[in-house]
Amino acid sequence: MKDLTKLTDRIFYVGVNDRTKHLFEGLWPLPLGVSYNAYLVCGERTALVDTVDACFTGRLLANVRERLGDRPLDYLVINHMEPDHSASIAAVRQAYPAVRIVGNAKTLQMIEGYYGIACGTVEVKEGDVLDLGGLTLAFCMIPMVHWPETMATWCAEERTIFSGDAFGTFGALNGGVTDEQLDVEPFWEEMRRYYACIVGKYGQPVQRALAKVAPLDIAMICSTHGPVWRREIARVVELYDKVSRYEGEPGAVIAYGSMYGNTEQMAETVARGLAAAGVRPIVVYNLSTADVSQVLRDIFRYDTLVVGSPTYNGQLYPPVDALLRKIAERCIPYRRFACFGSFTWAGAAVRRMTEFAEGMKWPVVGAPVELKQGYSTAVEPACRMLVDALVEDMKR
Ligand code: FEO
Protein backbone atom coordinates (compact mmCIF):
# COMPACT_ATOMS: atom_id res chain seq x y z
CA MET A 1 0.00 0.00 0.00
CA LYS A 2 1.30 3.43 -0.89
CA ASP A 3 2.41 5.38 2.20
CA LEU A 4 0.52 8.69 1.95
CA THR A 5 2.15 10.10 5.10
CA LYS A 6 5.58 10.05 3.46
CA LEU A 7 5.59 13.56 2.02
CA THR A 8 9.19 13.39 0.80
CA ASP A 9 12.02 10.98 1.56
CA ARG A 10 12.76 13.01 4.67
CA ILE A 11 9.48 14.65 5.75
CA PHE A 12 6.57 12.67 7.18
CA TYR A 13 3.05 13.57 8.28
CA VAL A 14 2.33 12.44 11.85
CA GLY A 15 -0.78 14.54 12.57
CA VAL A 16 -4.33 13.48 13.42
CA ASN A 17 -7.96 14.12 12.49
CA ASP A 18 -10.59 15.31 14.97
CA ARG A 19 -14.17 14.49 13.99
CA THR A 20 -15.40 14.55 17.60
CA LYS A 21 -15.06 18.14 18.73
CA HIS A 22 -18.17 20.23 18.03
CA LEU A 23 -16.72 23.68 18.61
CA PHE A 24 -13.17 24.82 17.81
CA GLU A 25 -11.92 27.13 20.59
CA GLY A 26 -15.31 26.39 22.20
CA LEU A 27 -16.84 28.79 19.66
CA TRP A 28 -16.73 27.73 16.02
CA PRO A 29 -18.65 24.75 14.60
CA LEU A 30 -16.71 21.95 12.91
CA PRO A 31 -19.17 20.27 10.53
CA LEU A 32 -16.31 18.77 8.51
CA GLY A 33 -13.99 18.17 11.49
CA VAL A 34 -10.46 19.54 11.73
CA SER A 35 -6.93 18.15 11.53
CA TYR A 36 -4.06 18.94 13.88
CA ASN A 37 -0.99 18.58 11.73
CA ALA A 38 2.46 17.63 12.97
CA TYR A 39 5.50 16.63 10.90
CA LEU A 40 8.66 14.63 11.34
CA VAL A 41 11.78 15.87 9.60
CA CYS A 42 14.54 13.28 9.39
CA GLY A 43 18.12 14.23 8.58
CA GLU A 44 21.03 12.65 10.41
CA ARG A 45 19.13 14.04 13.38
CA THR A 46 15.35 14.13 13.74
CA ALA A 47 12.87 16.89 14.53
CA LEU A 48 9.15 16.86 15.23
CA VAL A 49 7.46 20.09 14.14
CA ASP A 50 4.53 20.93 16.44
CA THR A 51 2.31 18.50 18.36
CA VAL A 52 -1.48 17.99 18.56
CA ASP A 53 -4.53 18.57 20.75
CA ALA A 54 -4.50 16.82 24.14
CA CYS A 55 -7.25 14.39 23.08
CA PHE A 56 -4.93 12.87 20.45
CA THR A 57 -1.58 12.67 22.24
CA GLY A 58 -1.51 8.87 22.15
CA ARG A 59 -2.11 8.79 18.41
CA LEU A 60 0.63 11.35 17.77
CA LEU A 61 3.14 9.36 19.81
CA ALA A 62 2.16 6.16 18.00
CA ASN A 63 2.66 7.90 14.63
CA VAL A 64 6.07 9.21 15.70
CA ARG A 65 7.20 5.86 17.13
CA GLU A 66 6.05 4.00 14.04
CA ARG A 67 8.13 6.28 11.85
CA LEU A 68 11.22 6.61 14.06
CA GLY A 69 11.46 3.03 15.28
CA ASP A 70 14.58 2.89 17.46
CA ARG A 71 15.87 6.28 16.35
CA PRO A 72 15.90 9.04 18.94
CA LEU A 73 13.86 12.20 18.57
CA ASP A 74 16.46 14.97 18.81
CA TYR A 75 14.34 18.13 18.54
CA LEU A 76 10.77 19.30 19.00
CA VAL A 77 10.19 22.56 17.12
CA ILE A 78 7.27 24.61 18.39
CA ASN A 79 5.97 27.04 15.80
CA HIS A 80 2.80 27.94 17.68
CA MET A 81 1.73 27.59 21.31
CA GLU A 82 -2.06 27.54 21.08
CA PRO A 83 -2.93 24.29 22.87
CA ASP A 84 -4.46 22.65 19.80
CA HIS A 85 -0.79 22.31 18.75
CA SER A 86 1.19 22.48 21.99
CA ALA A 87 -0.84 20.30 24.37
CA SER A 88 1.25 17.18 23.73
CA ILE A 89 4.64 18.80 24.45
CA ALA A 90 4.97 17.30 27.94
CA ALA A 91 4.01 13.84 26.67
CA VAL A 92 6.62 14.05 23.89
CA ARG A 93 9.24 15.01 26.47
CA GLN A 94 8.15 12.09 28.65
CA ALA A 95 8.39 9.66 25.72
CA TYR A 96 11.72 11.13 24.52
CA PRO A 97 13.43 12.57 27.64
CA ALA A 98 16.50 13.76 25.70
CA VAL A 99 14.49 15.76 23.16
CA ARG A 100 15.46 19.43 22.98
CA ILE A 101 12.54 21.81 22.61
CA VAL A 102 13.13 24.59 20.08
CA GLY A 103 11.30 27.90 20.21
CA ASN A 104 11.79 31.66 20.38
CA ALA A 105 11.90 33.59 23.67
CA LYS A 106 8.14 34.14 23.76
CA THR A 107 7.50 30.46 22.99
CA LEU A 108 9.81 29.25 25.75
CA GLN A 109 8.12 31.54 28.27
CA MET A 110 4.73 30.12 27.25
CA ILE A 111 5.98 26.52 27.46
CA GLU A 112 6.98 27.16 31.05
CA GLY A 113 3.70 28.96 31.76
CA TYR A 114 1.48 26.30 30.23
CA TYR A 115 3.42 23.09 30.93
CA GLY A 116 6.04 23.91 33.57
CA ILE A 117 8.91 22.96 31.25
CA ALA A 118 11.96 25.18 31.62
CA CYS A 119 14.96 23.00 30.78
CA GLY A 120 16.21 21.14 27.73
CA THR A 121 15.21 24.00 25.47
CA VAL A 122 16.93 25.81 22.59
CA GLU A 123 16.10 29.47 22.03
CA VAL A 124 16.10 30.62 18.40
CA LYS A 125 15.77 34.02 16.77
CA GLU A 126 14.84 35.30 13.33
CA GLY A 127 17.10 33.70 10.71
CA ASP A 128 18.69 31.11 13.02
CA VAL A 129 19.31 27.76 11.40
CA LEU A 130 19.16 24.34 13.05
CA ASP A 131 21.38 21.80 11.29
CA LEU A 132 19.83 18.32 11.26
CA GLY A 133 22.68 16.87 9.19
CA GLY A 134 21.85 16.94 5.50
CA LEU A 135 18.80 19.08 6.22
CA THR A 136 18.39 22.48 7.82
CA LEU A 137 15.53 24.24 9.54
CA ALA A 138 15.54 28.06 9.43
CA PHE A 139 13.25 30.10 11.65
CA CYS A 140 11.17 33.04 10.54
CA MET A 141 9.11 35.03 13.05
CA ILE A 142 5.51 35.67 11.97
CA PRO A 143 4.02 37.25 15.13
CA MET A 144 0.22 37.42 15.48
CA VAL A 145 -0.39 34.70 12.91
CA HIS A 146 -2.00 33.93 15.15
CA TRP A 147 -0.36 34.50 18.54
CA PRO A 148 2.62 36.76 19.35
CA GLU A 149 5.13 33.88 19.54
CA THR A 150 4.20 32.31 16.20
CA MET A 151 7.01 31.45 13.81
CA ALA A 152 7.37 29.53 10.57
CA THR A 153 10.11 27.00 9.87
CA TRP A 154 11.73 26.71 6.44
CA CYS A 155 13.47 23.58 5.21
CA ALA A 156 15.44 24.83 2.20
CA GLU A 157 16.63 21.40 1.03
CA GLU A 158 13.02 20.20 0.67
CA ARG A 159 11.62 23.65 -0.29
CA THR A 160 9.07 23.16 2.48
CA ILE A 161 7.55 25.73 4.81
CA PHE A 162 6.03 24.66 8.12
CA SER A 163 3.73 27.64 8.39
CA GLY A 164 1.84 27.31 11.68
CA ASP A 165 -1.77 28.49 11.37
CA ALA A 166 -0.96 30.44 8.20
CA PHE A 167 -2.64 28.78 5.19
CA GLY A 168 -4.69 26.64 7.58
CA THR A 169 -8.29 25.56 7.15
CA PHE A 170 -11.03 23.71 8.97
CA GLY A 171 -11.89 20.26 7.64
CA ALA A 172 -10.49 16.83 8.51
CA LEU A 173 -8.30 15.01 6.00
CA ASN A 174 -10.42 12.30 4.43
CA GLY A 175 -7.94 9.58 3.59
CA GLY A 176 -5.29 11.61 1.83
CA VAL A 177 -2.88 14.13 3.32
CA THR A 178 -1.82 16.35 0.41
CA ASP A 179 -4.00 18.35 -1.97
CA GLU A 180 -3.04 15.85 -4.67
CA GLN A 181 -4.58 13.01 -2.65
CA LEU A 182 -7.78 14.77 -1.51
CA ASP A 183 -10.92 16.32 -2.94
CA VAL A 184 -9.99 19.90 -2.05
CA GLU A 185 -13.23 21.62 -3.09
CA PRO A 186 -14.80 21.63 0.42
CA PHE A 187 -11.66 23.25 1.83
CA TRP A 188 -11.97 26.59 0.03
CA GLU A 189 -15.11 27.65 1.90
CA GLU A 190 -13.73 26.16 5.11
CA MET A 191 -10.49 28.11 4.63
CA ARG A 192 -12.44 31.36 4.37
CA ARG A 193 -14.46 30.45 7.48
CA TYR A 194 -11.31 29.45 9.39
CA TYR A 195 -9.59 32.67 8.41
CA ALA A 196 -12.57 34.91 9.28
CA CYS A 197 -13.08 33.28 12.69
CA ILE A 198 -9.55 32.53 13.86
CA VAL A 199 -7.06 34.84 12.14
CA GLY A 200 -9.43 37.55 10.83
CA LYS A 201 -8.29 40.21 13.31
CA TYR A 202 -4.71 39.97 12.12
CA GLY A 203 -4.79 41.05 8.48
CA GLN A 204 -1.67 43.23 8.70
CA PRO A 205 0.49 40.57 10.41
CA VAL A 206 -0.66 38.07 7.77
CA GLN A 207 0.35 40.52 5.04
CA ARG A 208 3.77 40.93 6.68
CA ALA A 209 4.14 37.14 6.89
CA LEU A 210 3.20 36.77 3.22
CA ALA A 211 5.82 39.36 2.28
CA LYS A 212 8.43 37.44 4.29
CA VAL A 213 7.77 34.10 2.62
CA ALA A 214 7.26 35.56 -0.88
CA PRO A 215 10.98 35.25 -1.87
CA LEU A 216 11.03 31.55 -0.97
CA ASP A 217 10.76 28.99 -3.75
CA ILE A 218 8.11 26.90 -1.99
CA ALA A 219 7.29 23.40 -3.20
CA MET A 220 5.23 22.34 -0.17
CA ILE A 221 3.24 24.19 2.52
CA CYS A 222 2.81 22.24 5.74
CA SER A 223 0.26 24.16 7.81
CA THR A 224 -1.07 23.16 11.22
CA HIS A 225 -4.62 22.56 9.89
CA GLY A 226 -5.87 21.08 6.65
CA PRO A 227 -4.18 19.59 3.61
CA VAL A 228 -0.49 19.74 2.86
CA TRP A 229 -0.42 22.05 -0.15
CA ARG A 230 1.63 21.19 -3.22
CA ARG A 231 -0.49 21.53 -6.35
CA GLU A 232 -2.67 24.43 -5.11
CA ILE A 233 0.00 26.63 -3.51
CA ALA A 234 -0.77 29.62 -5.75
CA ARG A 235 -4.50 29.47 -5.01
CA VAL A 236 -3.94 29.13 -1.26
CA VAL A 237 -1.53 32.07 -1.13
CA GLU A 238 -3.87 34.15 -3.29
CA LEU A 239 -6.84 33.41 -1.01
CA TYR A 240 -4.89 34.31 2.13
CA ASP A 241 -3.60 37.46 0.44
CA LYS A 242 -7.10 38.52 -0.53
CA VAL A 243 -8.78 37.89 2.82
CA SER A 244 -5.93 39.47 4.79
CA ARG A 245 -6.32 42.62 2.67
CA TYR A 246 -10.02 42.50 3.66
CA GLU A 247 -10.82 42.79 -0.02
CA GLY A 248 -14.54 42.23 -0.66
CA GLU A 249 -15.80 40.88 -3.95
CA PRO A 250 -19.18 41.97 -5.38
CA GLY A 251 -22.05 40.56 -3.37
CA ALA A 252 -24.32 41.41 -0.45
CA VAL A 253 -24.84 39.92 3.00
CA ILE A 254 -28.14 40.79 4.68
CA ALA A 255 -27.96 39.85 8.35
CA TYR A 256 -30.96 40.51 10.54
CA GLY A 257 -32.57 39.73 13.86
CA SER A 258 -36.33 39.46 14.27
CA MET A 259 -38.63 38.45 17.13
CA TYR A 260 -42.01 38.47 15.45
CA GLY A 261 -41.24 38.78 11.76
CA ASN A 262 -41.56 42.52 11.19
CA THR A 263 -37.84 43.25 10.81
CA GLU A 264 -37.59 40.02 8.87
CA GLN A 265 -40.10 41.29 6.33
CA MET A 266 -37.96 44.38 5.84
CA ALA A 267 -34.99 42.09 5.19
CA GLU A 268 -37.03 40.20 2.61
CA THR A 269 -38.07 43.46 0.93
CA VAL A 270 -34.47 44.71 0.75
CA ALA A 271 -33.25 41.33 -0.54
CA ARG A 272 -35.95 41.25 -3.20
CA GLY A 273 -35.11 44.79 -4.28
CA LEU A 274 -31.39 44.04 -4.58
CA ALA A 275 -32.12 40.89 -6.54
CA ALA A 276 -34.47 42.78 -8.86
CA ALA A 277 -31.66 45.28 -9.48
CA GLY A 278 -29.38 42.43 -10.55
CA VAL A 279 -27.20 42.18 -7.46
CA ARG A 280 -25.56 38.75 -7.16
CA PRO A 281 -24.90 36.91 -4.97
CA ILE A 282 -27.14 37.82 -2.04
CA VAL A 283 -26.84 35.88 1.21
CA VAL A 284 -29.55 36.40 3.85
CA TYR A 285 -29.04 35.31 7.45
CA ASN A 286 -31.48 35.25 10.36
CA LEU A 287 -29.02 35.78 13.20
CA SER A 288 -31.15 33.88 15.70
CA THR A 289 -30.57 30.66 13.78
CA ALA A 290 -27.51 31.28 11.59
CA ASP A 291 -24.06 29.88 12.30
CA VAL A 292 -22.23 33.14 12.96
CA SER A 293 -18.99 31.65 11.61
CA GLN A 294 -20.65 31.40 8.20
CA VAL A 295 -21.94 34.97 8.49
CA LEU A 296 -18.42 36.21 9.27
CA ARG A 297 -17.01 34.15 6.39
CA ASP A 298 -19.38 35.86 3.98
CA ILE A 299 -18.82 39.33 5.43
CA PHE A 300 -15.12 38.81 4.75
CA ARG A 301 -15.97 37.63 1.26
CA TYR A 302 -18.49 40.21 0.00
CA ASP A 303 -18.24 43.98 -0.25
CA THR A 304 -21.74 44.93 0.96
CA LEU A 305 -23.32 44.41 4.37
CA VAL A 306 -26.92 45.29 5.26
CA VAL A 307 -27.96 44.79 8.88
CA GLY A 308 -31.46 44.81 10.38
CA SER A 309 -32.36 44.82 14.06
CA PRO A 310 -35.32 45.35 16.33
CA THR A 311 -34.87 47.48 19.42
CA TYR A 312 -34.58 45.25 22.48
CA ASN A 313 -34.32 46.57 26.05
CA GLY A 314 -33.43 49.94 24.58
CA GLN A 315 -30.49 48.41 22.67
CA LEU A 316 -29.72 46.30 19.64
CA TYR A 317 -31.27 42.85 19.48
CA PRO A 318 -28.62 40.64 21.19
CA PRO A 319 -27.66 38.40 18.22
CA VAL A 320 -27.19 41.52 16.07
CA ASP A 321 -25.15 43.17 18.81
CA ALA A 322 -22.98 40.03 19.05
CA LEU A 323 -22.33 40.03 15.30
CA LEU A 324 -21.39 43.72 15.19
CA ARG A 325 -18.94 43.20 18.06
CA LYS A 326 -17.29 40.35 16.18
CA ILE A 327 -16.96 42.54 13.09
CA ALA A 328 -15.46 45.37 15.15
CA GLU A 329 -12.96 42.99 16.79
CA ARG A 330 -11.76 41.97 13.34
CA CYS A 331 -11.05 45.57 12.32
CA ILE A 332 -12.55 45.19 8.84
CA PRO A 333 -11.55 48.51 7.25
CA TYR A 334 -14.41 48.94 4.81
CA ARG A 335 -17.73 47.48 3.77
CA ARG A 336 -20.58 49.17 1.93
CA PHE A 337 -23.01 49.39 4.85
CA ALA A 338 -26.72 50.08 5.21
CA CYS A 339 -29.17 49.32 7.98
CA PHE A 340 -32.81 49.11 8.94
CA GLY A 341 -34.60 48.47 12.21
CA SER A 342 -37.80 48.49 14.18
CA PHE A 343 -39.22 49.43 17.55
CA THR A 344 -42.51 49.48 19.39
CA TRP A 345 -42.38 52.50 21.71
CA ALA A 346 -38.83 53.94 21.66
CA GLY A 347 -36.33 53.34 18.85
CA ALA A 348 -32.66 52.60 19.55
CA ALA A 349 -31.52 49.90 17.10
CA VAL A 350 -31.03 52.14 14.05
CA ARG A 351 -29.12 54.66 16.14
CA ARG A 352 -26.87 51.92 17.52
CA MET A 353 -26.16 50.53 14.06
CA THR A 354 -25.32 54.01 12.80
CA GLU A 355 -22.97 54.48 15.76
CA PHE A 356 -21.38 51.12 14.94
CA ALA A 357 -20.71 52.28 11.37
CA GLU A 358 -19.23 55.57 12.63
CA GLY A 359 -16.97 53.60 14.98
CA MET A 360 -15.80 51.47 12.06
CA LYS A 361 -15.37 54.60 9.91
CA TRP A 362 -17.73 53.09 7.34
CA PRO A 363 -20.02 55.59 5.59
CA VAL A 364 -23.70 54.64 5.91
CA VAL A 365 -25.26 54.27 2.48
CA GLY A 366 -28.82 55.59 2.09
CA ALA A 367 -31.19 56.61 4.84
CA PRO A 368 -31.59 53.91 7.51
CA VAL A 369 -35.18 52.69 7.55
CA GLU A 370 -36.91 52.66 10.92
CA LEU A 371 -40.21 50.86 11.31
CA LYS A 372 -42.58 51.61 14.18
CA GLN A 373 -44.52 48.51 15.22
CA GLY A 374 -46.00 46.25 12.53
CA TYR A 375 -44.70 45.79 8.98
CA SER A 376 -46.96 47.16 6.24
CA THR A 377 -46.57 48.28 2.66
CA ALA A 378 -46.21 51.81 4.05
CA VAL A 379 -42.54 51.09 4.86
CA GLU A 380 -41.73 49.68 1.43
CA PRO A 381 -40.96 53.00 -0.34
CA ALA A 382 -38.29 53.69 2.28
CA CYS A 383 -36.88 50.19 1.77
CA ARG A 384 -36.82 50.75 -2.00
CA MET A 385 -34.97 54.04 -1.52
CA LEU A 386 -32.42 52.19 0.60
CA VAL A 387 -32.00 49.60 -2.16
CA ASP A 388 -31.65 52.34 -4.80
CA ALA A 389 -28.94 54.05 -2.76
CA LEU A 390 -27.04 50.77 -2.38
CA VAL A 391 -27.30 49.93 -6.07
CA GLU A 392 -26.19 53.44 -7.02
CA ASP A 393 -23.19 53.12 -4.70
CA MET A 394 -22.32 49.72 -6.18
CA LYS A 395 -22.06 51.27 -9.63
CA ARG A 396 -19.29 53.65 -8.54
FE1 FEO B 1 -4.51 26.12 15.40
FE2 FEO B 1 -3.80 29.29 16.65
O1 FEO B 1 -3.95 27.43 16.65
Side-chain angles (χ1 to χ4, degrees), residues 46-246:
T46 60
L48 173 64
V49 181
D50 289 315
T51 75
V52 301
D53 184 272
C55 298
F56 297 89
T57 300
R59 216 169 287 171
L60 169 75
L61 291 175
N63 291 346
V64 172
R65 274 199 210 97
E66 185 183 6
R67 188 57 73 178
L68 286 182
D70 293 334
R71 291 190 71 181
L73 178 65
D74 297 296
Y75 297 101
L76 169 57
V77 175
I78 300 300
N79 278 335
H80 182 25
M81 275 300 293
E82 192 166 8
D84 53 333
H85 310 295
S86 70
S88 303
I89 290 176
V92 171
R93 166 58 66 78
Q94 203 167 24
Y96 295 96
V99 72
R100 301 187 73 195
I101 300 174
V102 180
N104 59 59
K106 288 194 179 91
T107 308
L108 299 185
Q109 182 277 318
M110 289 184 189
I111 291 175
E112 186 169 5
Y114 269 102
Y115 308 113
I117 295 172
C119 61
T121 58
V122 180
E123 184 180 326
V124 293
K125 299 185 182 65
E126 174 77 31
D128 283 357
V129 176
L130 180 67
D131 186 356
L132 297 180
L135 280 179
T136 57
L137 297 177
F139 304 104
C140 166
M141 305 302 137
I142 52 168
M144 304 317 300
V145 188
H146 117 253
W147 279 14
E149 89 300 355
T150 310
M151 63 184 195
T153 297
W154 168 242
C155 179
E157 295 78 7
E158 298 285 358
R159 294 167 53 214
T160 294
I161 184 116
F162 301 95
S163 61
D165 282 351
F167 311 119
T169 171
F170 291 136
L173 306 179
N174 295 329
V177 175
T178 74
D179 55 1
E180 295 157 331
Q181 303 159 351
L182 290 157
D183 168 19
V184 294
E185 278 316 304
F187 288 105
W188 303 121
E189 287 294 281
E190 285 296 83
M191 184 175 280
R192 289 180 183 279
R193 195 170 67 89
Y194 172 84
Y195 183 88
C197 297
I198 309 300
V199 196
K201 180 179 172 62
Y202 304 110
Q204 286 186 357
V206 172
Q207 280 288 305
R208 283 195 285 273
L210 288 171
K212 266 189 171 182
V213 302
L216 302 175
D217 181 19
I218 297 172
M220 186 161 74
I221 295 176
C222 293
S223 168
T224 46
H225 299 291
V228 168
W229 299 105
R230 282 208 281 230
R231 192 180 55 197
E232 302 283 0
I233 287 174
R235 185 168 174 185
V236 170
V237 172
E238 185 188 352
L239 193 152
Y240 259 75
D241 181 42
K242 195 169 176 181
V243 289
S244 60
R245 282 189 280 111
Y246 298 93

